[in-house]
Amino acid sequence: MDKVTQQQIEDGLAQPATRRSFLGKSALLGLTGAGVSFGLAACKENGGAAAPAASASAKAAGGELGHEVQPGQLDDYYHFSSGGHSGEARILGLPSGRTLRRIPVFNIDPMVGWGITNESKAIMGTKADGSLKYTTGDTHHVHGSYKDGIYDGRWLFINDKMHGRLARIRMDTMECDKIIELPNIQGFHGIFPDKCDPVDPKINYTTRVFCGAEFHIPLPNDGRDLGDPSKWGCLFTCVDAASMEVRWQVRVDGNMDLVATSYDGKLAASNQYNVENGADLASMMSAERDACVFFDVARIEALVKAGKFTTIGGSKVPVVDGRKAANPDAKTAVTCYVPVGKNPHGVNASPDGKYFVCSGKLSPTATVIELALVQKWFAGELKDARDAVVAEPEIGLGPLHTAFDGKGNAYTTLFLDSQIVKWNVDKAIAHFKGDKTAKVVMDRIDVHYQPGHGYSSMGETKEADGKYYNSGNKFSKDRFLPVGPLHSETEQLINISGEKMKLISDHTAYPEPHDGIMVRRDLVKTRQIYHMDDFANAVKTPADSRVERKGNKVSIFLMSQAPNYSMPIIKVKKGDEVTLTLTNHDKVEDLTHGCAIPTHNVNFIVNPQETKSVTFKTDKPGAYWIYCTHFCHALHLEMRSRLLVEG
């Protein structure tokens, strides 16, 4: 049997042993008596079962794009979505709408042990006693890292609006590897990675993540100025994508909703409501227009480098003042406030890199801002920031978010009209210039019922392909079987490849997802097994399986290899603090083992060649079966060890 290395697998020169071939052979051996010896499951082949046939795009009657993906075929897109109240991210396949995975981020998930294992707790953050600092989250927006203006398959970034946290997900394993808490902010809502360095165009990949805060708070928020909201502030934050450390913050006027970045890396922006800086609903509604605030990234970083910043409270993060009053000269300003429709909701970048579009929400319009004109304002060559607006078409009631098809058309959700409206950007510009014959609105389609976020296939990249549009809807009360007072929500998939939009399917969504992205499947490269050497605490050989005691602290080092754990009996004492480290020695793709211990709140999995650990107290004498929770073998039910707690 030829030896297959992990590097060969990752280079595409070989395939790991498949679960199908493993189960077919090792199960037979196990049932004839040979499978009880530790080490059987190391059986491995070069190759394995044939991969499913490549999927062609799903087709409906007449050859049009459809949603049905035949058994054994693959979806064309990954749909990465936020999970809302759950604090997780979700992966669906499109166009089928099949749920592929839920990625725990800010939530506890016993299936994978997230929030239970020591490794996940270290990422999530703990209190002094080792318990989780937070057990809840509120995810709204998920975006991928870029190279050359398209997704590069490295990372996903997702926000926690509730606790002001930013998380990073590795796209090769679809697991969260870093979470940070942003200082000096509350209501962290908008998020977007940069696509290129603001100074060096050779750095044409994501190096920063921009985060917009929505709520004004006292600065610092330590009990001062509680009775005087006029002194409160709001900050825009830049995080280093690689180190996940905060680079700098900018104080702004107004509340920030979503974030967008330019393809040349020079500008980031956030649409703003409450430019009045009000503290209640009435005072937030008095201005005729709100704004889209643009940030000149290079200028901000030059000020930080020159030491022209302040800090807030105990935070050492540099803070630059980006309020209008502090930036009277456009030639030195770090921010540009472009007036847009009242209470805008959403800002999105067109695939050609020319425009940002804000929706009005309380205005029936969308505002098109030309980025070249914003740059002219920063150069002192444009008198009024409002002159950067090149179109403001009236498109319908309650416009929220805009997507693009790469053919010059925009698609905006209309919350109050319960529609998606398709309109043409160039014709909107022509109409704004005075051509009243220009037909701006191209099509409308009803959705069910109040659409929030909407996004198109590859629509936030320069390779927007104009095939599918996903409408994320609220109040979808009669689309599915009723399940009590709280109903499923709807992700409705629309074919946008032709002149007319066509609704082709409904997908259920557990409440309450927000934003998402559609990524071509060829851009996502997942790994199939781990490197054991990546884990410093890996239990590498049977001889390393052991129990160590230091006072009442006990360390158990255990291996799993179907259908066995490496130690059948483990003895500890009542009152011990036990750390169990488990390494999965199987090398078969998808051959995952679970580990659960009754009454001890332990439940997690280890993937092939992975190591995880848990720490728990043994507070009651007795016998407790350590058992595998994830089906792994014909003798899966027999895969157990005995934890004996002596009094």
Side-chain angles (χ1 to χ4, degrees), residues 69 297 331 398 511:
V69 176
V297 180
K331 292 182 179 180

Side-chain angles (χ1 to χ4, degrees), residues 24 91 196 268 370 375 383 429 467 480 488 525 532 590 623:
I91 310 176
C196 188
E370 186 173 340
Q375 292 284 24
K383 184 177 181 181
I429 294 172
K467 292 183 178 180
F480 311 106
S488 296
K525 307 293 184 184
M532 191 179 293
D590 195 36

Side-chain angles (χ1 to χ4, degrees), residues 625-642:
W625 286 102
I626 301 174
Y627 71 98
C628 181
T629 56
H630 205 88
F631 190 88
C632 61
H633 191 274
L635 296 176
H636 163 69
L637 294 180
E638 290 79 7
M639 185 171 172
R640 289 183 256 165
S641 289
R642 284 167 281 170

Side-chain angles (χ1 to χ4, degrees), residues 308-564:
K308 297 179 180 179
F309 60 83
T310 60
T311 58
I312 297 173
S315 170
K316 296 181 180 180
V317 173
V319 178
V320 174
D321 196 337
R323 290 174 290 181
K324 285 184 181 180
N327 292 266
D329 185 354
K331 292 182 179 180
T332 58
V334 296
T335 52
C336 171
Y337 293 80
V338 177
V340 299
K342 194 172 182 65
N343 287 71
H345 198 80
V347 57
N348 300 92
S350 62
D352 58 12
K354 294 180 179 180
Y355 309 107
F356 280 5
V357 175
C358 292
S359 298
K361 193 170 75 171
L362 297 187
S363 168
T365 59
T367 303
V368 182
I369 302 169
E370 186 173 340
L371 300 190
L373 294 177
V374 175
Q375 292 284 24
K376 279 192 172 184
W377 184 91
F378 276 116
E381 299 171 4
L382 194 69
K383 184 177 181 181
D384 190 338
R386 174 68 184 177
D387 292 338
V389 173
V390 294
E392 205 157 50
E394 186 171 316
I395 56 175
L397 298 180
L400 296 183
H401 301 281
T402 300
F404 304 90
D405 62 6
K407 305 170 188 176
N409 301 311
Y411 300 76
T412 301
T413 53
L414 301 178
F415 185 82
L416 298 180
D417 278 338
S418 297
Q419 290 182 331
I420 308 303
V421 57
K422 173 182 177 180
W423 54 280
N424 184 269
V425 176
D426 286 340
K427 291 182 179 180
I429 294 172
H431 189 275
F432 191 74
K433 290 180 177 179
D435 182 0
K436 302 307 178 185
T437 65
K439 184 182 177 182
V440 177
V441 174
M442 314 296 289
D443 192 23
R444 298 178 185 273
I445 190 170
D446 292 336
V447 290
H448 305 85
Y449 289 92
Q450 268 63 52
H453 284 277
Y455 31 94
S456 56
S457 47
M458 295 293 290
E460 293 190 300
T461 76
K462 67 181 183 181
E463 294 187 0
D465 59 29
K467 292 183 178 180
Y468 295 104
Y469 177 92
N470 187 87
S471 177
N473 305 325
K474 316 299 180 186
F475 310 119
S476 303
K477 52 188 175 291
D478 58 3
R479 302 298 289 182
F480 311 106
L481 287 173
V483 288
L486 180 64
H487 294 264
S488 296
E489 293 184 349
T490 310
E491 305 280 354
Q492 291 191 305
L493 193 65
I494 298 170
N495 176 357
I496 61 170
S497 62
E499 290 186 13
K500 294 290 186 180
M501 295 179 283
K502 294 184 179 181
L503 179 63
I504 57 177
S505 69
D506 288 4
H507 309 139
T508 59
Y510 183 76
E512 181 186 64
H514 291 263
D515 203 3
I517 56 175
M518 266 187 254
V519 181
R520 277 199 333 260
R521 74 181 191 199
D522 64 287
L523 299 176
V524 178
K525 307 293 184 184
T526 59
R527 70 189 306 177
Q528 295 165 308
I529 64 174
Y530 284 88
H531 286 293
M532 191 179 293
D533 290 341
D534 289 345
F535 305 94
N537 59 340
V539 185
K540 293 189 174 181
T541 69
D544 294 325
S545 298
R546 64 197 187 277
V547 178
E548 294 180 351
R549 175 178 291 276
K550 293 182 180 179
N552 71 334
K553 295 184 183 297
V554 177
S555 298
I556 300 169
F557 299 91
L558 195 64
M559 295 167 55
S560 64
Q561 200 163 41
N564 283 292

Side-chain angles (χ1 to χ4, degrees), residues 575-596:
D576 282 344
E577 180 182 282
V578 178
T579 297
L580 169 64
T581 301
L582 178 63
T583 299
N584 182 351
H585 273 246
D586 283 303
K587 297 180 180 179
V588 179
E589 177 185 2
D590 195 36
L591 191 59
T592 295
H593 294 301
C595 180

